Amino acid sequence: MNAPLPDVPEVRVVGLPQLTTGFDLVERLDLGMHLKVHGPLEPIPGERLAALADEVLLRGRGGAGFPFARKLRAVARAAIGRGVRPVVVVNGSEDEPACRKDTVLLNRAPHLVLDGALLAAEALGARTLVIGVTRDSTEASMAAALAERGLGNRRNAALRARVQRNPHRMVTGEASALVRSAEGGPALPPGRRVRASDAGVGGAPTLLSNAETFAQLAVAARIGPARYGNTGLRDEPGTVLLTLSGSVSRPMVIEVPTGVPLRYVLQLAGAPPLPQGVLTGGYHGSWLGASAAQQAIVSRAALEALGGALGAGAILPLGPETCPLAEALRVANWLAAESSGQCGPCRLGLPAAAGGLADLLTGGGPTALEALREVVSAVRGRGACKHPDGTANFVESTLAAFADDVAAHALSGGCGRRTRGVLPLPDSGAPDPGAGGDAERLAVDWTLCEGHGLCADVVPELIRLGPDGFPAVADASVPLQLRGRAQRAVRRCPALALRLERTDPEVRQALPKSLGRKALDSGRS
């Protein structure tokens, strides 16, 4: 089983570096070294900055890929129309277990990210800059970077800049969750979709983009659109940062020009020559089959044409030695537990989708497959944030990319492969920085459980009833916002069979017994 990725894995570059310039010299570019490596950067007026972003075809690098110039102009229009100062927010909340590119930038090149954010703030006339982070390392690095520039959250400062620390959870990086936390609320989506460019932090128009996007803007401002366009594809110029993990011998963050063959990038990370599939875009992304992965190039449009996604820049090949459906089940259970619990599709639909995938793995047959497809269809497009859609896309893509394995499990009782746990997930045996204490999971004493089902009613995000009427418990630590209801479920169990226990490596490797070891061993038990 793979260990969780470190905050700052190995960093490599193909061709000439842009974002990673200077990484061969020092571990972290402080302000002095940053200026020696990159040189000074002059302010750029608003429309000229938008025109620059247009010329280099800069899109958001956090997953959605929204054109940056359009977002910049929308914030400017809203601010001028309302006569208020806008806010700039850097989203450094990289909480997906397979993503580290933004974390690398914030830790090793914090001033490149700040350059882009300050360019945008100056162009918009913003007086507030918020940097959202979720890790100790990124909080320390960005706080030091602000201090090196003499920036702070002083009341009378020309620009009030601060680092906003949030819990380490998947939904924390959602734009509306980051806006809500910057206002002093919980780092959870508010349950309604409002564009930050119209009303963000404090109700003001807010320019919110991820760390790599601002760093790319700073690079383009320094070298100009002509030189920027000399790297990569004509319709997607420049470089991209990718995080490589999964079935690789060398997990890494790598900077590559667009247009580089994906198979070459996988080879650099030590992936199998013929992976059975490659997950592109992370856990809200899409799988590429083996043949598609061989012909793919690193490009948003090219990956989408093959059914993949650039997304948040995570690339995860899967070797032939592990069951892809059981690997997907581990991720689906984690995604279900990461729900903010504020809408039905997330609170009920995601555990149901994970449970449906488990049913398929444990011999549910074609009926289980059809039920799973219905759950995924019901979840899509109905959530209060993008987490249900992303999770539904992951499950649906898994079924499409591994059709032979789906048939083997549905019709033949399994694919015959064990589960190696190569897709990275958080180490739930360690304290969760955002969970307020030691990580815990729900466990069932099967010598006592009588299948009353009350626990599934109390906390359906973590417990559902299996085909036999007994509880199936999500193999993930209990999130902070569900801790109270998990404790209530324990208290209400008539047979005293349910308990909360601290997680450990042995527990993390096991799925709930009610799902059967077949879910992990894929038919070998």
Side-chain angles (χ1 to χ4, degrees):
M1 180 172 289
N2 280 7
L5 290 173
D7 279 10
V8 183
E10 176 187 358
V11 179
R12 294 195 65 183
V13 62
V14 174
L16 295 176
Q18 292 187 355
L19 300 171
T20 59
T21 301
F23 281 22
D24 58 333
L25 302 174
V26 291
E27 283 300 308
R28 178 183 180 274
L29 280 77
D30 61 16
L31 182 58
M33 181 59 74
H34 169 75
L35 292 174
K36 288 180 182 178
V37 169
H38 291 283
L41 184 60
E42 297 297 324
I44 300 176
E47 183 50 39
R48 278 183 53 198
L49 188 63
L52 171 67
D54 262 337
E55 286 187 72
V56 301
L57 302 176
L58 180 59
R59 289 178 173 268
R61 303 300 177 93
F66 194 81
F68 185 82
R70 194 186 307 173
K71 187 183 294 186
L72 188 67
R73 290 188 176 108
V75 172
R77 282 196 302 268
I80 293 171
R82 293 171 51 190
V84 297
R85 294 279 190 179
V87 175
V88 174
V89 176
V90 178
N91 191 348
S93 306
E94 194 174 43
D95 299 314
E96 192 169 325
C99 296
R100 289 295 184 276
K101 67 180 183 69
D102 291 326
T103 302
V104 163
L105 281 175
L106 294 172
N107 274 285
R108 300 199 60 185
H111 289 283
L112 195 62
V113 177
L114 276 180
D115 277 347
L118 293 173
L119 275 177
E122 178 71 20
L124 290 169
R127 292 294 178 263
T128 302
L129 170 63
V130 180
I131 304 160
V133 299
T134 56
R135 301 176 186 273
D136 289 338
S137 61
T138 50
E139 180 182 26
S141 179
M142 295 312 296
L146 291 179
E148 288 165 6
R149 289 180 180 245
L151 296 174
N153 197 26
R154 297 179 297 276
R155 182 177 298 275
N156 295 322
L159 176 71
R160 299 183 65 176
R162 59 187 171 90
V163 178
Q164 173 73 32
R165 175 66 182 269
N166 291 320
H168 189 112
R169 298 198 57 235
M170 181 75 167
V171 295
T172 301
E174 210 272 339
S176 62
L178 186 51
V179 167
R180 194 177 181 190
S181 70
E183 296 176 322
L188 297 172
R192 64 188 187 281
R193 298 193 181 187
V194 179
R195 289 184 297 184
S197 58
D198 292 332
V201 178
T206 299
L207 177 70
L208 190 152
S209 203
N210 89 309
E212 186 191 342
T213 311
F214 285 112
Q216 291 282 1
L217 182 66
V219 168
R222 274 192 172 87
I223 67 177
R227 185 175 161 196
Y228 189 95
N230 287 337
T231 300
L233 300 170
R234 178 175 297 180
D235 56 349
E236 290 185 40
T239 65
V240 296
L241 284 179
L242 304 173
T243 310
L244 275 293
S245 64
S247 294
V248 299
S249 59
R250 300 175 64 184
M252 64 177 62
V253 168
I254 185 167
E255 182 180 11
V256 301
T258 55
V260 168
L262 180 61
R263 64 180 181 275
Y264 177 66
V265 177
L266 295 173
Q267 180 184 352
L268 290 176
L274 290 173
Q276 56 180 320
V278 178
L279 181 59
T280 59
Y283 294 158
H284 279 178
S286 301
W287 288 97
L288 290 179
S291 60
Q294 287 298 304
Q295 59 181 298
I297 62 173
V298 177
S299 153
R300 182 179 302 278
L303 289 172
E304 289 176 356
L306 292 169
L310 182 60
I315 306 293
L316 301 98
L318 204 60
E321 74 285 351
T322 190
C323 171
L325 298 189
E327 292 283 352
L329 175 59
R330 296 174 57 247
V331 175
N333 275 328
W334 179 79
L335 289 170
E338 286 294 291
S339 160
S340 59
Q342 298 186 124
C343 68
C346 211
R347 182 172 179 268
L348 304 175
L350 301 192
L357 188 54
D359 291 345
L360 176 64
L361 276 158
T362 53
T367 302
L369 176 59
E370 184 59 30
L372 175 57
R373 294 190 190 278
E374 289 181 4
V375 169
V376 171
S377 177
V379 166
R380 187 180 296 281
R382 296 178 54 238
C385 72
K386 297 176 182 177
H387 185 54
D389 284 355
T391 304
N393 183 72
F394 170 78
V395 174
E396 195 171 61
S397 175
T398 300
L399 299 179
F402 302 107
D404 290 345
D405 293 272
V406 169
H409 283 277
L411 303 176
S412 306
C415 66
R417 284 170 289 183
R418 297 182 64 86
T419 306
R420 304 298 179 183
V422 299
L423 298 182
L425 288 173
D427 186 350
S428 57
D432 180 351
D438 291 334
E440 294 180 313
R441 73 183 291 275
L442 285 166
V444 178
D445 184 338
W446 299 106
T447 64
L448 298 176
C449 182
E450 298 175 359
H452 293 93
L454 292 179
C455 54
D457 292 333
V458 176
V459 60
E461 298 90 340
L462 300 175
I463 304 174
R464 61 182 296 279
L465 297 183
D468 56 2
F470 283 80
V473 184
D475 182 35
S477 58
V478 178
L480 176 63
Q481 75 277 10
L482 298 181
R483 199 69 69 81
R485 281 198 282 134
Q487 292 168 345
R488 194 181 315 144
V490 170
R491 291 195 300 267
R492 289 189 180 180
C493 178
L496 304 179
L498 190 66
R499 65 179 182 272
L500 277 168
E501 61 181 22
R502 290 186 58 184
T503 54
D504 57 67
E506 293 300 319
V507 170
R508 289 197 305 277
Q509 293 182 35
L511 275 175
K513 294 180 182 178
S514 64
L515 298 184
R517 286 297 304 176
K518 190 183 293 184
L520 273 183
D521 293 345
S522 303
R524 294 187 56 177
S525 60

